[in-house]
Amino acid sequence: MTESFDLLVVGGGINGTSIARDAAGRGLSVCLCERDDLAAHTSSASTKLIHGGLRYLEQFEFAMVGKALAEREVMLKMAPHIVRPLSFILPQQSHLRPTWMIRVGLFLYDHLGRGQRTLPRSQHVNLRCHPTGLPLREEFRTGFTYSDAWADDARMVILNAMDARHRGARILPRTACTSLRRCADAWEACLTSSTSVSMTIHAKALVNATGPWAVQFLDTIAHLKHNRGLRLIKGSHIVVARLFEHDHAYIFQQPDRRIVFAIPYEHDFTLIGTTDLEYHQDPANPHISNEETRYLCEAVNRYFQHTITPDDVVWSYSGVRPLLNDEENNAAKVTRDYLLELDTQQAPLLNVFGGKLTTARKLAEDALDQLASLLPVTSAAWSRQGHPLPGGDCHDLAAYQRKLQEKHPYLPNAMAWRLIHSYGTRVMQVLGQAHALKDLGKHFGADLYQAEVDYLREQEWAVKAEDILWRRSKLGLRVTASDEARLTSYLVNAARSSETA
């Protein structure tokens, strides 16, 4: 049996899921397929920031920065449970960038973009009197503070997919697009699941949102001629035990003129990144190198009194960013903006090149604006105005946590905080009618219980332990190997039970 859709989106990262959400919201029938888990690759390996990109002002990318800053405000309102304001400290080193340059850059950063600005503007700070100066080496006496936002990148992908499903889209993780045939008025696609079950669908239009595989997809699946190229850039991060007690982040200038962030992470840790290296291997399996680890350790050791070594790293991750190819040789300077390329010969094909977490909603809006005249849309652009992601319909999270703990007084404060900042107002669906921790079922280490695992299986497409421990949450930082083994066993048995039910 062949199913028909208005739009097939191939790729389950932040761009693909955002496009599926926007398209479903415009009344289109949508199918999204992803070869692996949602957010399995680039979209779960970012620096977790919703930001304009302060350093791109040096490259005169004013339009891109302004667009991202405008989107920052939208994202803060759209998903307040997984996106939150974050203040950054930039210690001054005038021999790397003169003070006047930083002041001009921060002035532009404060004023670029459009619409209401809710975050504080930049300020000059005396680090000898400011709490953020305490962890720093003695020579750092002055600096600047500015505002951006932090986000849970993988959960952003999941929530976009959930909202797309709520609006009628069909979401198929672990389902590869294995072949395509372009007809006069539609695409014929063969989709094959990880269990080798195949289905054929027809779609009036196709979106190639495969990220680092966008060119490979055109070459080997769509078999289409093109003149586009991508530069694959590996960015690596390390996580160490918490290096400072306050809730600000740091942005550190380096002698090579790159910048490195040190960000409060999961309460007890500090996230440090990123690197920027040309990458020519399999985008599905990047790993941090010893040289990258040393680079990031040395980057923060130039600033903090307490130094770290590679032995202090408790976790690391790497992702491959697909950037538009140009003549620039320096990987750190390749543009981070995106390109949407629409091919209307026969059935329409929209290729997505580049992009980033911050501008994914805008990218999706632009994508559907291009496709709108070719498809039976029933509404205009909608996603910017007051449409929160699932669980995002509450902006006073502290008050909501008090309400949650009044109804579920058995919840430890840290667990209640984590659940709310993962699920927002949907946390009640996770907890159900539990009256005590034991009512949440089996315990899998840290504060992970069966009730949450079952919710993630049923509502968020989680199948494997790594889906839950490293993408739906970051509890992998806290559970033991035996905890993970028990979780894996439970998931395998649950899947078998579902198959035989």
Side-chain angles (χ1 to χ4, degrees):
M1 180 178 177
T2 300
E3 296 186 61
S4 296
F5 296 89
D6 295 321
L7 186 66
L8 169 63
V9 181
V10 182
I14 188 59
N15 289 337
T17 54
S18 296
I19 289 171
R21 174 181 185 250
D22 192 297
R26 299 200 198 199
L28 298 176
S29 59
V30 180
C31 178
L32 178 145
C33 68
E34 160 58 44
R35 179 183 62 185
D36 301 307
D37 184 26
L38 299 173
H41 301 294
T42 304
S43 294
S44 59
S46 76
T47 313
K48 325 297 183 192
L49 297 180
I50 300 293
H51 65 145
L54 179 62
R55 68 186 177 96
Y56 302 134
L57 293 175
E58 284 186 311
Q59 300 164 30
F60 306 107
E61 296 267 17
F62 301 124
M64 184 188 76
V65 173
K67 178 168 56 180
L69 289 173
E71 282 302 295
R72 186 183 67 185
E73 293 294 325
V74 177
M75 301 295 276
L76 284 164
K77 295 179 176 66
M78 192 168 77
H81 52 319
I82 61 168
V83 181
R84 61 179 181 267
L86 183 62
S87 295
F88 288 79
I89 296 294
L90 170 60
Q92 172 63 343
Q93 283 194 296
S94 57
H95 68 284
L96 295 179
R97 288 175 177 85
T99 301
W100 69 262
M101 180 183 291
I102 294 177
R103 287 186 183 276
V104 169
L106 289 173
F107 177 84
L108 290 171
Y109 206 66
D110 286 339
H111 291 87
L112 283 172
R114 60 185 177 86
Q116 182 182 7
R117 302 292 293 271
T118 60
L119 299 181
R121 294 185 175 181
S122 60
Q123 292 183 331
H124 185 266
V125 292
N126 182 346
L127 294 175
R128 295 301 93 206
C129 304
H130 197 275
T132 59
L134 292 177
L136 297 175
R137 291 165 55 175
E138 182 65 28
E139 61 262 34
F140 299 107
R141 298 182 175 275
T142 64
F144 298 87
T145 181
Y146 71 94
S147 298
D148 260 323
W150 179 95
D152 188 324
D153 52 3
R155 289 210 60 75
M156 183 72 71
V157 175
I158 296 297
L159 296 185
N160 271 282
M162 291 176 69
D163 202 40
R165 179 181 60 190
H166 172 72
R167 297 174 188 277
R170 186 169 182 185
I171 308 297
L172 301 174
R174 296 179 173 83
T175 303
C177 180
T178 50
S179 69
L180 279 168
R181 187 167 68 93
R182 194 178 202 177
C183 307
D185 59 352
W187 288 90
E188 183 179 279
C190 179
L191 308 184
T192 305
S193 73
S194 58
T195 57
S196 300
V197 176
S198 294
M199 63 181 292
T200 300
I201 72 165
H202 286 168
K204 295 175 184 175
L206 171 70
V207 171
N208 169 18
T210 55
W213 293 273
V215 170
Q216 182 181 333
F217 178 83
L218 293 175
D219 292 337
T220 63
I221 304 298
H223 301 289
L224 295 176
K225 294 182 179 180
H226 62 88
N227 59 2
R228 287 294 171 189
L230 290 176
R231 291 182 70 177
L232 302 184
I233 307 297
K234 183 176 71 165
S236 296
H237 299 75
I238 59 175
V239 175
V240 299
R242 189 168 182 167
L243 295 176
F244 44 88
E245 296 301 318
H246 55 78
D247 59 0
H248 291 65
Y250 292 91
I251 176 172
F252 292 146
Q253 303 175 83
Q254 300 304 314
D256 59 6
R257 296 188 66 81
R258 279 197 44 74
I259 55 96
V260 169
F261 294 102
I263 302 170
Y265 193 62
E266 298 295 315
H267 296 289
D268 300 318
F269 303 93
T270 299
L271 174 66
I272 299 167
T274 179
T275 57
D276 267 312
L277 297 175
E278 292 277 357
Y279 191 73
H280 304 286
Q281 301 175 50
D282 182 4
N285 196 35
H287 295 287
I288 192 170
S289 67
N290 292 335
E291 291 76 12
E292 287 177 288
T293 300
R294 286 195 295 270
Y295 175 89
L296 293 174
C297 289
E298 291 169 1
V300 297
N301 289 345
R302 292 186 178 97
Y303 288 83
F304 286 134
Q305 295 182 46
H306 175 74
T307 60
I308 61 172
T309 71
D311 290 339
D312 295 309
V313 176
V314 298
W315 182 50
S316 65
Y317 63 89
S318 300
V320 177
R321 287 166 283 181
L323 305 181
L324 290 171
N325 205 357
D326 57 23
E327 300 302 318
E328 179 59 63
N329 290 321
N330 187 337
K333 294 182 179 179
V334 182
T335 181
R336 265 59 175 175
D337 211 351
Y338 58 80
L339 172 69
L340 302 176
E341 188 172 75
L342 180 61
D343 174 2
T344 57
Q345 296 181 27
Q346 296 182 299
L349 165 66
L350 184 72
N351 291 304
V352 179
F353 299 111
K356 61 179 184 177
L357 182 70
T358 305
T359 53
R361 187 213 62 85
K362 177 60 175 170
L363 180 153
E365 184 177 77
D366 291 345
L368 267 296
D369 285 346
Q370 289 196 31
L371 290 167
S373 63
L374 305 171
L375 295 172
V377 298
T378 58
S379 66
W382 61 274
S383 62
R384 184 181 179 88
Q385 306 298 330
H387 296 280
L389 290 175
D393 50 339
C394 176
H395 287 265
D396 190 344
L397 296 180
Y400 194 80
Q401 180 172 342
R402 290 192 295 271
K403 177 182 176 182
L404 175 68
Q405 290 184 281
E406 287 175 2
K407 186 171 183 178
H408 298 271
Y410 59 87
L411 286 176
N413 288 336
M415 181 176 178
W417 189 97
R418 182 185 70 79
L419 292 174
I420 287 173
H421 285 80
S422 296
Y423 306 105
T425 56
R426 292 178 66 95
V427 68
M428 298 300 186
Q429 297 182 38
V430 177
L431 298 174
Q433 300 302 313
H435 298 288
L437 284 175
K438 64 180 178 62
D439 296 333
L440 297 176
K442 295 180 180 179
H443 181 218
F444 296 104
D447 58 17
L448 180 64
Y449 289 83
Q450 180 182 340
E452 184 176 1
V453 171
D454 289 344
Y455 173 87
L456 293 172
R457 287 182 61 249
E458 295 163 7
Q459 299 296 323
E460 297 194 7
W461 302 280
V463 173
K464 300 179 180 180
E466 66 182 79
D467 304 344
I468 293 173
L469 298 178
W470 294 111
R471 285 186 285 277
R472 307 313 188 271
S473 76
K474 293 299 180 286
L475 291 173
L477 288 166
R478 303 181 186 279
V479 301
T480 66
S482 61
D483 292 331
E484 183 173 355
R486 287 189 299 107
L487 176 59
T488 296
S489 177
Y490 176 79
L491 291 170
V492 169
N493 292 331
R496 287 173 181 166
S497 298
S498 298
E499 291 172 359
T500 58

